[in-house]
Amino acid sequence: MEQQNYSQLVLNTCLKAGKIMMESGSEVYRVEDTMKRIALNAGLNDIQTYVTATGLVVGFPSEHTSQVAQVTQQSINLEKVTAVNWGSRQFADGELSLPDFYEYLIEVDQATPDFSYLWKIISAGIVSSTLMIILNGTWFDFIPTFIIGMIGFSVHTFFGKKLKMSFLNDFMAALIIGILALLAVSNSFANDVNSLIIGSIMPLVPGLAITNAFRDIMAGHLLSGVARGTEALFIAGAIGGGIIVAFNFF
């Protein structure tokens, strides 16, 4: 019974670590590697893992035990990924016991700070305007791109939280960006509508999803790589659709 309880704790710890990493934007191969290292350092050498973009399966054949965890929310919080990796190293070095490591993961999941909403909006404006300049835009369009980029990101976040429908928030944000860019140029607040749009949609571009898709495919995780790549294509299509609607109807 004691061995069974220990195996269950190892299983729960592996799943907790994997779920935190997947929900925070980590690659599949990194999640599997972390879970395997945790199990090996806990003394269970026959761990079997299966990770996709929407779920995790971990089992120990010798202990006749396995468990599934669903990955629901998706976000980008690399602070959590770093914290899980740090805790895994501490556990490997013997500085954390298994129960302490599990409690540490619970704390990481619940208490790891994220940037405030205001800082995210300001950062979106900075990314939009600076990349617009890098992509051969003019300084006259710097401030309009900064403002439109912030508004577009705000719309993206608002619809994402209120509607909870994937891709619709990307479409709405791109639509608003397209409309504001056209209005800014038509009222002589900016010169080049293309520069405004290209810069302002940059915070919406699924760069992390594309990067993780390629890295997962190269690591042999074809299912997760293709799934994430498809998600990135749908996001890009939604952004393009919003811009097309803005140009055709406004």
Side-chain angles (χ1 to χ4, degrees), residues 27-236:
E27 309 93 323
V28 169
Y29 78 89
R30 190 185 303 276
V31 173
E32 286 195 345
D33 181 69
T34 300
M35 292 194 297
K36 288 179 179 178
R37 290 178 184 274
I38 292 172
L40 290 173
N41 291 322
L44 297 178
N45 301 324
D46 63 335
I47 181 174
Q48 300 294 322
T49 63
Y50 182 73
V51 179
T52 69
T54 56
L56 304 92
V57 181
V58 181
F60 300 110
S62 62
E63 303 295 331
H64 304 288
T65 178
S66 63
Q67 195 167 327
V68 180
Q70 184 180 7
V71 178
T72 51
Q73 61 183 11
Q74 295 281 347
S75 64
I76 301 174
N77 191 338
L78 299 184
E79 289 285 344
K80 287 188 176 183
V81 177
T82 302
V84 171
N85 286 330
W86 182 87
S88 178
R89 288 192 293 269
Q90 294 294 102
F91 175 61
D93 294 338
E95 298 181 20
L96 280 177
S97 65
L98 184 61
D100 290 338
F101 183 31
Y102 183 71
E103 292 298 325
Y104 167 79
L105 291 175
I106 294 176
E107 183 179 354
V108 167
D109 193 23
Q110 297 177 349
T112 300
D114 195 6
F115 290 104
S116 67
Y117 183 57
L118 177 61
W119 276 111
K120 289 181 179 180
I121 294 176
I122 295 174
S123 299
I126 294 173
V127 168
S128 300
S129 52
T130 52
L131 286 178
M132 183 273 298
I133 295 295
I134 292 173
L135 296 172
N136 297 322
T138 62
W139 286 102
F140 184 77
D141 296 333
F142 186 89
I143 298 300
T145 306
F146 181 85
I147 296 172
I148 294 173
M150 289 195 300
I151 295 174
F153 183 80
S154 302
V155 171
H156 178 270
T157 304
F158 174 79
F159 279 97
K161 290 182 176 179
K162 293 295 182 181
L163 300 180
K164 299 186 183 300
M165 294 179 64
S166 299
F167 315 121
L168 182 59
N169 57 337
D170 299 289
F171 174 84
M172 293 302 301
L175 176 63
I176 296 300
I177 287 172
I179 294 172
L180 292 177
L182 291 170
L183 289 175
V185 172
S186 63
N187 289 280
S188 300
F189 292 119
N191 286 331
D192 188 3
V193 66
N194 295 322
S195 296
L196 289 180
I197 291 175
I198 291 172
S200 299
I201 66 172
M202 282 300 171
L204 310 180
V205 173
L208 182 64
I210 295 172
T211 302
N212 286 348
F214 276 105
R215 296 189 69 175
D216 286 339
I217 290 173
M218 289 188 291
H221 298 280
L222 301 181
L223 183 61
S224 297
V226 171
R228 280 179 162 171
T230 304
E231 178 189 8
L233 287 176
F234 272 98
I235 293 174

